[in-house]
């Protein structure tokens, strides 16, 4: 049916064009009726030839022309070259994992760097610094990237990973003037760095509203891919609010299909008004090059970071002290939720703002100060953008009811490494161990073991054996610690089996499981019988 439909449309369009290009003469006045088609065909042929040969007639109309935009904003875009003896591993070609080790990953994109060890010019290879008495005895790494000016007195933004570990940073303007730049500060979490050059009366970019971006809108990137400065590429916004990776959970990335490659890092993503709405930061690739999926840091996030760096020299983020996960379709069944929107709380840190406000595992956070939380990845950027000491009103779902809880944020300690409880070594159950409806054999945890595992008194049951097929399919393992059945805490085998005895054959039950340092809900159903 589709080919026929397309043919009909083409015929209709052609007929309309023909009608507009010809004059319809009435039959009569001594003119034979049979001669009319030949005259019309002649006119049509002449009109078609005239249309084909029309000078400067655009064959495609309605597409944007970015010429004026690039002319006006281009002078504010700069090229960056960072060198140092201790460049970060990802800046070096040798620091990127092989495809067979990590087929798909978010690649930082740098320009040319020192060769691999053992090759000519590389560390340990012929011509390496220090091998011929030339150089300082250590390899000098280099990365190239892009940046853009945000003020006339020389402040500019780029990516943290472009300048991380650099001993010297050189900035080249569009008029070929070169400056040594000072790294005012940088933030690994957001991948934003603030630089300063000693110059005045410089062109700079206006900041646009990245929150107003919508999928389908045109955007433009200007950068130095592979050292080719001021290269322009364009595309559309593919999505907003993307969670690109766990290391940057406080950044709701802008996804585009704009062509981005090594050297574009730190360059501006612009809207059609010539306003910068993002900083190009990452690509998703199997090959190490552009594959149609690029990510940019929203400017509201970048400017918040830049302002803090310029004012205090550091970046502070708020936290409420919860671990959240996605609301899956299984969680909807297990908790009786209306839909999959929100962030499912799987852990509440002791003494945290969330604990003080009465937030519990199993709660679903649906909004913060009226801002909808549609996915678990939406929560960290919203909370992280707030200053420590600020208050926030959380809208949560618990037991089918909507509750409001007010929390006072504390400062996120990004340097602290959260060491969760270690996984208990598997042990065989006692001889009297009883198989419950899920085929899970539990065992009580001794008080001293609880302390070693960082559990509260009377908290948790260790799984000694997994016999149920559904439980194994859900990912449960021997040695896992079950903290809750649904929203009910369990602290011994009797309580564990008592709660599971309430589970119907057609029911999905949510188990709050701790494994190592991670806590999450797993959905499990009884095995089918018969």
């Amino acid at each position: 049916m589709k080919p026929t439909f397309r043919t009909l449309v083409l015929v209709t369009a052609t007929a309309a064009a023909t009608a507009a290009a010809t004059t319809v003469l009435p039959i009569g006045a001594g003119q034979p009726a049979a001669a009319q088609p030949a005259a019309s065909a002649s006119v049509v042929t002449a009109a078609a030839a005239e249309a084909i040969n029309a000078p400067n007639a655009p064959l495609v109309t309605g597409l944007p022309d970015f010429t004026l935009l690039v002319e006006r904003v281009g002078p504010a875009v700069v090229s960056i070259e960072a060198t140092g003896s201790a460049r970060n591993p990802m800046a070096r070609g040798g620091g990127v994992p092989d495809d067979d080790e990590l087929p798909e990953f978010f690649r930082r994109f740098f320009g040319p760097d020192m060769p691999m060890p053992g090759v000519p010019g590389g560390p340990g290879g012929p011509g390496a610094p220090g091998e011929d008495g030339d150089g300082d005895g250590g390899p000098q790494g280099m990365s190239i990237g892009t940046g853009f000016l945000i003020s006339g007195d020389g402040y500019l933004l780029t990516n943290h990973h472009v300048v991380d570990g650099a001993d010297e940073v050189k900035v080249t303007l569009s008029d070929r003037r070169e400056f040594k730049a000072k790294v005012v500060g940088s933030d690994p979490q957001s991948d934003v760095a603030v630089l300063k050059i000693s110059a005045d009366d410089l062109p700079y970019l206006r900041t646009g509203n990245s929150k107003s971006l919508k999928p389908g809108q045109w955007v433009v990137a200007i950068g130095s891919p592979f050292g080719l400065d001021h290269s322009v590429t364009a595309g559309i916004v593919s999505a907003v609010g993307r969670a690109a990776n766990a290391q940057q959970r406080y950044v709701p990335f802008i996804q585009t299909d704009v062509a981005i490659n090594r050297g574009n890092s730190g360059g501006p993503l612009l809207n059609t008004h010539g306003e910068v709405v993002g900083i190009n930061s990452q690509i998703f690739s199997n090959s190490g090059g552009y594959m149609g999926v690029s990510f940019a840091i929203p400017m509201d996030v970048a400017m918040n970071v830049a302002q803090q760096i310029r004012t205090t020299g550091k970046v502070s983020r708020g936290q409420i002290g919860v671990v959240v996960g996605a609301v899956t379709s299984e969680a909807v069944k297990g908790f009786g939720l209306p839909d999959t929107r929100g962030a499912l709380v799987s852990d509440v840190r002791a003494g945290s703002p969330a604990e003080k406000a009465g937030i519990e595992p199993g709660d679903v956070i649906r909004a913060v100060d009226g801002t909808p939380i549609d996915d678990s990845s939406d929560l960290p950027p919203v909370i992280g953008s707030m200053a420590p000491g600020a208050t926030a009103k959380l809208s949560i779902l618990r037991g089918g009811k909507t509750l409001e809880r007010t929390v006072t944020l504390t400062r996120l300690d990004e340097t602290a490494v959260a060491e969760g409880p270690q996984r208990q070594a598997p042990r065989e159950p006692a001889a009297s161990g009883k198989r419950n409806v899920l085929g899970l054999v539990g065992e009580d945890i001794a008080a001293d073991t609880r302390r070693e595992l960082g559990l509260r008194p009377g908290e948790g049951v260790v799984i000694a054996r997994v016999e149920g097929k559904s439980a194994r399919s859900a990912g449960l393992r021997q040695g896992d610690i079950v903290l809750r059945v649904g929203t009910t805490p369990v602290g011994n085998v009797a309580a564990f089996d008592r709660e599971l005895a309430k589970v119907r054959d057609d029911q999905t039950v949510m188990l709050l499981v701790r494994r190592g340092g991670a806590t999450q809900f797993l959905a499990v159903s009884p095995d089918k019988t018969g």
Side-chain angles (χ1 to χ4, degrees):
M1 294 300 294
K2 287 187 177 179
T4 303
F5 173 76
R6 289 176 180 172
T7 301
L8 290 175
V9 172
L10 179 61
V11 169
T12 303
T14 304
T18 301
T22 59
T23 301
V24 179
L25 299 176
I27 297 176
Q31 180 180 5
Q36 179 60 27
S40 298
S42 176
V43 174
V44 172
T45 302
E50 182 179 354
I52 292 173
N53 296 320
N56 300 323
L59 298 180
V60 179
T61 60
L63 295 177
D65 183 344
F66 300 112
T67 305
L68 183 59
L69 182 153
V70 173
E71 288 177 352
R72 290 187 177 179
V73 306
V77 181
V78 305
S79 298
I80 296 175
E81 182 180 298
T83 57
S85 57
R87 300 289 295 130
N88 69 80
M90 284 301 289
R92 297 189 293 271
V96 180
D98 294 332
D99 284 345
D100 58 350
E101 294 176 353
L102 193 57
E104 293 190 15
F105 68 105
F106 291 93
R107 298 178 185 263
R108 305 296 193 186
F109 29 96
F110 291 90
D113 202 350
M114 293 297 292
M116 293 287 288
V119 302
E131 292 295 320
D132 55 2
D134 226 26
D136 59 4
Q140 285 288 315
M142 183 186 76
S143 70
I144 61 174
T146 309
F148 56 92
L149 292 155
I150 57 172
S151 69
D153 58 351
Y155 281 97
L156 61 118
L157 298 183
T158 187
N159 285 144
H160 162 80
H161 72 261
V162 171
V163 299
D164 183 28
D167 297 325
E168 182 176 293
V169 178
K170 183 176 71 176
V171 170
T172 304
L173 305 185
S174 60
D175 58 9
R176 303 305 177 191
R177 285 185 293 166
E178 296 181 351
F179 296 87
K180 284 187 177 181
K182 173 187 176 182
V183 179
V184 180
S186 66
D187 176 45
Q189 184 63 246
S190 63
D191 197 24
V192 173
V194 181
L195 309 184
K196 177 71 167 66
I197 60 175
S198 297
D200 294 310
D201 299 323
L202 296 171
Y204 61 92
L205 297 182
R206 292 177 297 139
T207 301
N209 182 10
S210 53
K211 292 183 178 179
S212 66
L213 282 179
K214 296 180 179 179
Q217 291 181 333
W218 284 98
V219 281
V220 178
I222 304 178
S224 304
F226 309 109
L228 303 171
D229 63 322
H230 286 79
S231 296
V232 181
T233 53
I236 62 170
V237 176
S238 304
V240 294
R242 287 292 198 206
N245 59 62
Q247 288 72 38
Q248 291 176 272
R249 59 187 179 277
Y250 295 101
V251 180
F253 283 95
I254 303 164
Q255 180 188 334
T256 75
D257 69 349
V258 178
I260 298 295
N261 285 288
R262 296 171 184 260
N264 277 109
S265 278
L269 185 72
L270 305 145
N271 62 19
T272 52
H273 296 286
E275 300 167 332
V276 57
V277 291
I279 303 177
N280 295 312
S281 175
Q282 299 181 1
I283 58 174
F284 191 68
S285 177
N286 282 335
S287 64
Y290 169 72
M291 293 186 67
V293 182
S294 307
F295 296 93
I297 304 160
M299 277 308 290
D300 61 317
V301 173
M303 291 305 291
N304 181 12
V305 169
Q307 184 62 37
Q308 290 191 59
I309 288 175
R310 293 179 63 179
T311 304
T312 67
K314 60 182 181 180
V315 180
S316 297
R317 294 181 174 86
Q319 69 165 356
I320 61 175
V322 296
V323 177
V324 296
V327 181
T328 62
S329 56
E330 290 82 6
V332 168
K333 297 176 184 177
F335 286 119
L337 301 173
D339 50 51
T340 59
R341 291 190 303 109
L344 176 61
V345 177
S346 59
D347 194 15
V348 180
R349 303 304 189 195
S352 66
E355 185 184 57
K356 294 175 182 178
I359 305 297
E360 301 177 359
D363 288 346
V364 178
I365 301 175
R366 305 266 283 190
V368 178
D369 287 337
T371 301
I373 302 298
D374 294 324
D375 189 81
S376 59
S377 62
D378 295 340
L379 186 64
V382 172
I383 296 298
S385 66
M386 299 180 180
T391 59
K393 182 177 290 186
L394 307 182
S395 176
I396 65 173
L397 273 180
R398 179 188 298 168
K401 298 180 180 179
T402 300
L403 306 175
E404 302 289 339
R405 293 289 185 269
T406 300
V407 295
T408 301
L409 279 62
T410 56
R411 185 178 183 276
L412 176 67
D413 185 2
E414 297 180 21
T415 61
V417 178
E419 295 183 356
Q422 298 301 308
R423 181 180 176 184
Q424 180 166 319
R427 293 185 295 170
E428 286 299 317
S432 59
K434 182 181 179 182
R435 188 182 191 275
N436 50 49
V437 67
L438 297 182
L440 297 175
V441 177
E443 189 170 292
D444 292 336
I445 305 174
D448 57 342
T449 303
R450 276 200 177 93
R451 287 192 296 270
E452 293 174 3
L453 297 176
L455 299 173
R456 298 181 178 92
E459 182 182 31
V461 173
V462 66
I463 296 179
R465 191 165 68 243
V466 181
E467 298 179 353
K469 293 182 180 178
S470 295
R472 284 197 296 270
S473 298
L476 285 165
R477 305 175 186 173
Q478 185 182 40
D480 287 345
I481 298 172
V482 179
L483 304 177
R484 294 184 177 228
V485 176
T487 58
T488 304
V490 290
N492 53 57
V493 174
F496 179 58
D497 289 338
R498 185 166 57 249
E499 290 302 315
L500 291 183
K502 303 175 184 178
V503 178
R504 302 186 307 272
D505 290 341
D506 61 348
Q507 186 178 350
T508 298
V509 61
M510 302 300 294
L511 301 181
L512 184 59
V513 177
R514 177 169 295 175
R515 179 182 301 158
T519 304
Q520 64 176 329
F521 277 102
L522 294 179
V524 190
S525 301
D527 290 338
K528 302 295 183 182
T529 58

